[in-house]
Amino acid sequence: MELGLTEQNKELLKSIWPLLVVIILFIVVGKIAVSQITAISTQVKDAKKSQTVLTTKLNTLKSTASITESGSEVALTALPKSNPAIMIMSQLKNISSQYPVVISNIRSTFADNNSSNLMFVSTAFDLSGKPEDIMSFIKAIDNIAPITVIQKISITSNVDFYTANIVAQTYYTPLPSTIPSITQPVNDLTAAEKDLLNKLSALSQPMVIPQANTSGDTSINPNPFGI
Amino acid sequence: MPANLNLLPDNLYVSKSVSSTVKTLKALNVILIVIFIIFAVGVGAYFIFEKITLSGIQTNLTQLKSQIKAQEQSETKLILLKDRLNKVASIQNSSTASKNMDNLTTLLNGTSQSFEISSANVSSNKIALSLKIYSNEDLTSFINNVKSSALFGTANLSTFNYGAGGYSLDLNLDNPVSK
């Protein structure tokens, strides 16, 4: 079909259409390229981030392996997973044998402190002796495992000795039921945590030490602590 | 004098300005096509480079995951340890009767030895103390110690008696300063 274009216009059109094609190609290819490159760059960025996290995690796990091996046992003794009534009674009798005091009426009652997922056994007992020996006994309770804190002390004076009624709380808490996913980072122990662990290691250990059931096969274990 | 002859029909005539524009456009086309080819090759090369990089990282990630999996027991113990340490720290930060007993001992250590504790009820936030003090000087010294002590927020002397054996006091000490 003859459009009636002059030769001048035909020449101009012949020159312009490749220009338009190239511009359209630039737009189309550019759009595809931008989206593809953005997508793959994001993937590379995320993968590098994961690689950094996993490398750090692996290094942390390797470097803390020796500490966690012994530390977890110490921590589990300090804060057991189950009722520590027998352990605390054993520890109280053990301390009383170190000081010239008479311990009697030891009685334990279970209590549930729901606010912080910590449970405790409340142990009440009577102590007779000189004031300084009673004080030494009270001080010694601060240095036993499982962690025991004194909530109430009632001291009365008799003729030549003192009688103290003491109420102590010994804490325990269930084991954590999950571990983070493999891509989640884990943090090394902080200086404060290492310091606390050293203090826990120095605590007087009970006769019976609870063991963490942390062994398992290599498949995904939804309940890694075996409870 | 040379004559400018144009034997072409009018409809085939292309003016100089149009001819010049067409030449410019053709040159521009060539430049743009070259730029486009460079751009396309560059983008393609970058895409392939990123694909290879991603593939390498993913291989590395797979190896890291298997190595971490092999350390699962260490991770379990680390999580257990951190959980225990956080909870022990929260227990140790709470107020206890033994901390308050330390406060009472500090208070009494600054006093003369000429007194006798009749009874003491110590809890995590208060102390009820019954004391016998045998002389005026010791009483003055003790009262001054209580007044100047920063270990307790309030001190309430609920009973104060004087008899043959000296002074007897019932003292309530509240709100120990947390350490």
Side-chain angles (χ1 to χ4, degrees):
Chain A
M1 193 175 74
E2 184 61 52
L3 293 173
L5 291 171
T6 63
E7 193 61 28
Q8 286 194 115
N9 290 340
K10 280 180 187 173
E11 284 295 319
L12 277 172
L13 275 177
K14 274 183 196 173
S15 307
I16 286 171
W17 77 259
L19 192 67
L20 290 173
V21 169
V22 171
I23 289 168
I24 290 165
L25 275 173
F26 256 117
I27 292 168
V28 173
V29 173
K31 203 173 176 183
I32 293 167
V34 166
S35 68
Q36 289 295 313
I37 285 175
T38 305
I40 199 160
S41 293
T42 307
Q43 284 177 33
V44 169
K45 197 177 165 189
D46 290 347
K48 280 183 178 170
K49 202 174 167 185
S50 297
Q51 186 176 242
T52 308
V53 168
L54 292 184
T55 306
T56 309
K57 184 174 182 174
L58 185 62
N59 290 338
T60 303
L61 292 176
K62 281 180 177 173
S63 65
T64 57
S66 59
I67 300 173
T68 54
E69 184 67 34
S70 57
S72 61
E73 299 297 336
V74 168
L76 195 62
T77 310
L79 191 58
K81 64 177 179 179
S82 56
N83 193 323
I86 294 170
M87 280 193 284
I88 186 60
M89 284 193 185
S90 161
Q91 286 284 49
L92 290 175
K93 288 197 169 185
N94 187 33
I95 300 171
S96 69
S97 68
Q98 297 167 25
Y99 300 98
V101 291
V102 176
I103 188 167
S104 57
N105 293 330
I106 306 175
R107 52 215 179 270
S108 283
T109 49
F110 168 80
D112 190 359
N113 182 1
N114 287 320
S115 61
S116 59
N117 193 28
L118 277 171
M119 290 168 279
F120 60 81
V121 172
S122 198
T123 307
F125 56 94
D126 297 333
L127 210 57
S128 301
K130 290 180 182 174
E132 58 270 25
D133 295 325
I134 291 174
M135 286 305 296
S136 298
F137 187 100
I138 290 168
K139 281 275 178 197
I141 288 177
D142 288 340
N143 297 316
I144 61 167
I147 296 285
T148 301
V149 295
I150 295 174
Q151 289 302 317
K152 196 177 168 190
I153 305 164
S154 299
I155 300 173
T156 47
S157 169
N158 289 312
V159 180
D160 52 358
F161 65 94
Y162 278 76
T163 304
N165 177 260
I166 296 170
V167 179
Q169 288 177 352
T170 307
Y171 290 88
Y172 66 102
T173 182
L175 297 171
S177 55
T178 54
I179 58 171
S181 72
I182 204 157
T183 50
Q184 262 190 298
V186 291
N187 296 322
D188 197 354
L189 292 176
T190 61
E193 286 172 334
K194 285 177 183 170
D195 187 44
L196 181 56
L197 182 58
N198 285 336
K199 285 178 184 168
L200 296 185
S201 303
L203 295 177
S204 167
Q205 299 298 304
M207 303 295 275
V208 181
I209 297 173
Q211 298 289 316
N213 183 10
T214 54
S215 62
D217 61 19
T218 53
S219 61
I220 293 169
N221 184 357
N223 185 8
F225 295 95
I227 56 169
Chain B
M1 185 180 165
N4 193 7
L5 294 174
N6 183 7
L7 300 176
L8 288 169
D10 280 350
N11 63 335
L12 293 179
Y13 174 75
V14 178
S15 71
K16 271 188 177 177
S17 61
V18 171
S19 174
S20 164
T21 306
V22 167
K23 273 184 185 173
T24 309
L25 283 173
K26 280 180 179 174
L28 189 63
N29 278 340
V30 171
I31 291 166
L32 281 177
I33 286 167
V34 169
I35 291 172
F36 175 75
I37 290 167
I38 293 169
F39 169 74
V41 168
V43 165
Y46 182 74
F47 188 78
I48 290 165
F49 172 76
E50 287 286 79
K51 269 279 183 195
I52 292 167
T53 306
L54 183 62
S55 171
I57 293 171
Q58 281 173 341
T59 307
N60 201 8
L61 281 177
T62 309
Q63 287 173 353
L64 280 169
K65 281 179 184 174
S66 66
Q67 285 177 293
I68 288 171
K69 195 78 189 159
Q71 298 282 333
E72 192 180 60
Q73 211 166 13
S74 288
E75 185 178 6
T76 305
K77 286 184 176 175
L78 181 61
I79 301 299
L80 167 68
L81 181 57
K82 278 184 162 280
D83 173 72
R84 257 39 194 172
L85 291 175
N86 286 337
K87 284 173 179 166
V88 168
S90 75
I91 293 168
Q92 290 189 336
N93 286 334
S94 61
S95 57
T96 65
S98 41
K99 285 179 186 171
N100 223 0
M101 194 74 192
D102 286 343
N103 292 340
L104 179 60
T105 307
T106 306
L107 180 69
L108 294 176
N109 282 344
T111 309
S112 161
Q113 293 295 310
S114 300
F115 68 87
E116 183 187 331
I117 298 172
S118 305
S119 70
N121 290 309
V122 182
S123 67
S124 58
N125 57 1
K126 63 181 179 180
I127 297 171
L129 185 67
S130 291
L131 272 181
K132 281 181 186 169
I133 297 179
Y134 303 118
S135 69
N136 284 333
E137 290 77 20
D138 292 330
L139 176 67
T140 307
S141 167
F142 177 73
I143 296 292
N144 284 338
N145 275 342
V146 171
K147 283 166 75 178
S148 62
S149 174
L151 294 170
F152 301 99
T154 58
N156 180 25
L157 186 63
S158 58
T159 309
F160 182 66
N161 291 320
Y162 177 70
Y167 298 95
S168 63
L169 296 81
D170 287 336
L171 188 65
N172 295 311
L173 302 164
D174 291 324
N175 302 324
V177 175
S178 59
K179 287 183 179 176

